[in-house]
C-alpha cells in the first residue's frame, strides 16, 4: 500500500511531543503509551492548519484546510479525499461526512449532565459512536476521588485529549471499525489544535516568514 493502514484500539490518547520554530509534532497513543501514529504541523506553510499523519517513515493521511466553505478534507497520503469535517456553530461541533458529502456522524459538546466537558460523537440516528474529553475521559469514581490524576502540559502546548469508541452494541456505524476510527480521532485532533491556535500565535508563522523574506529582498 502506498499509504499505511492504521488500526486504532477502542481508547486512544492524543498528545504533543515536540515544539519548534518550523513545526510541531505529536502522537496518538495506546493505553500503555505505545505510539500508534504521529502528527506534524508546519507553521510556515500556506495553510499551517494542515496536519500530516504518519507511522514511522510511512505517510498515513492528512487534514487539508482552505476550502471556501470551511470544510476540512481528510485525505489519504496521496491526496484522495476519504472524509470531510464541516465545522458547525457550536464549540467542538463538526459534521463528519463521507467522501460524497453524506453525513456519518456529528460531534456535540456538553451533552452529558454528569460530564459536561465531554464531546459526544453520534451517528445520524443519534446513537453514540465515541466520546472524547481533555485531558482524559473521567470515569465514575470507585475509589473515593472525583477525578483521575493527569499530567499538566506546558501552557503553549497543544492540549492533551482522549477518545473512547463504543462497540457494535451501541451503533452500526462503520466509524467504530478499527480501520475507520482515525477519522473521529482526526476530528478530535482538530479540536485540540483549534484550542491551541486560539491562545498561541506561534502555530501560524506565515506573517513572520513573509516579513523575513521582504527584509532579505531589500
Amino acid at each position: 500500500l502506498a499509504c499505511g493502514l492504521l488500526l486504532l484500539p477502542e481508547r486512544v490518547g492524543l498528545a504533543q511531543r515536540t515544539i519548534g520554530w518550523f513545526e510541531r509534532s505529536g502522537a496518538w497513543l495506546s493505553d500503555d503509551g505505545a505510539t500508534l501514529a504521529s502528527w506534524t504541523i508546519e507553521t510556515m506553510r500556506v495553510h499551517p492548519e494542515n496536519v500530516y499523519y504518519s507511522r514511522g517513515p510511512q505517510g498515513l493521511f492528512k487534514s487539508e484546510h482552505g476550502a471556501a466553505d470551511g470544510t476540512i478534507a481528510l485525505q489519504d497520503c496521496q491526496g484522495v479525499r476519504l472524509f470531510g469535517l464541516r465545522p458547525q456553530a457550536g464549540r467542538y461541533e463538526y459534521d463528519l461526512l463521507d467522501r460524497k458529502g453524506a453525513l456519518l456522524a456529528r460531534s456535540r459538546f456538553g451533552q452529558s449532565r454528569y460530564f459536561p466537558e465531554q464531546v459526544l460523537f453520534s451517528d445520524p440516528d443519534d446513537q453514540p459512536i465515541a466520546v472524547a474529553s481533555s485531558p482524559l475521559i473521567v470515569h465514575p469514581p470507585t475509589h473515593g476521588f472525583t477525578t483521575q490524576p493527569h499530567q499538566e502540559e506546558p501552557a503553549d502546548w497543544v492540549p492533551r485529549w482522549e477518545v473512547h469508541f463504543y462497540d457494535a452494541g451501541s451503533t452500526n456505524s462503520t466509524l467504530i471499525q478499527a480501520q475507520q476510527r482515525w477519522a473521529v480521532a482526526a476530528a478530535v485532533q482538530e479540536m485540540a489544535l483549534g484550542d491551541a491556535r486560539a491562545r498561541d500565535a506561534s502555530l501560524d508563522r506565515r506573517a513572520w516568514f513573509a516579513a523575513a523574506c521582504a527584509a532579505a529582498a531589500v
Side-chain angles (χ1 to χ4, degrees):
L1 293 175
C3 301
L5 177 66
L6 181 63
L7 304 178
L8 290 180
E10 290 185 356
R11 190 177 297 273
V12 181
L14 284 60
Q16 181 170 322
R17 285 282 179 82
T18 65
I19 184 171
W21 264 89
F22 302 106
E23 70 174 37
R24 294 197 188 191
S25 64
W28 293 357
L29 307 170
S30 66
D31 266 349
D32 59 4
T35 298
L36 304 168
S38 299
W39 59 263
T40 302
I41 57 173
E42 299 177 353
T43 59
M44 290 190 182
R45 286 209 172 205
V46 174
H47 293 292
E49 309 94 338
N50 293 352
V51 190
Y52 303 88
Y53 297 88
S54 60
R55 185 175 55 229
Q58 187 173 40
L60 293 171
F61 43 84
K62 60 183 177 178
S63 67
E64 190 82 12
H65 292 243
D69 64 354
T71 298
I72 303 163
L74 300 181
Q75 305 173 345
D76 70 12
C77 68
Q78 295 182 320
V80 177
R81 184 184 179 116
L82 302 176
F83 299 96
L85 285 173
R86 187 165 58 205
Q88 302 299 304
R91 186 184 186 193
Y92 302 143
E93 291 189 356
Y94 288 93
D95 285 353
L96 178 53
L97 315 172
D98 69 13
R99 67 179 68 196
K100 295 181 179 179
L103 180 67
L104 295 175
R106 290 189 173 96
S107 64
R108 297 293 181 265
F109 178 62
Q111 298 296 295
S112 170
R113 174 182 176 186
Y114 298 102
F115 304 106
E117 295 301 310
Q118 291 184 353
V119 177
L120 178 66
F121 288 82
S122 302
D123 65 22
D125 295 322
D126 209 29
Q127 300 304 306
I129 293 172
V131 63
S133 189
S134 178
L136 295 171
I137 296 172
V138 178
H139 305 280
T142 59
H143 44 57
F145 296 96
T146 56
T147 61
Q148 294 180 339
H150 63 272
Q151 178 181 355
E152 291 291 339
E153 303 288 359
D156 59 348
W157 277 43
V158 177
R160 180 183 294 264
W161 281 72
E162 188 178 59
V163 190
H164 175 76
F165 291 89
Y166 289 86
D167 57 24
S170 298
T171 177
N172 61 5
S173 172
T174 58
L175 293 172
I176 64 169
Q177 298 172 3
Q179 68 271 26
Q180 302 280 8
R181 289 171 177 162
W182 69 268
V184 173
V188 177
Q189 190 68 67
E190 291 294 332
M191 297 173 191
L193 288 165
D195 281 348
R197 291 186 195 102
R199 68 189 188 197
D200 184 3
S202 70
L203 271 77
D204 184 347
R205 296 189 185 275
R206 286 175 295 181
W208 180 91
F209 182 69
C213 290
V218 173

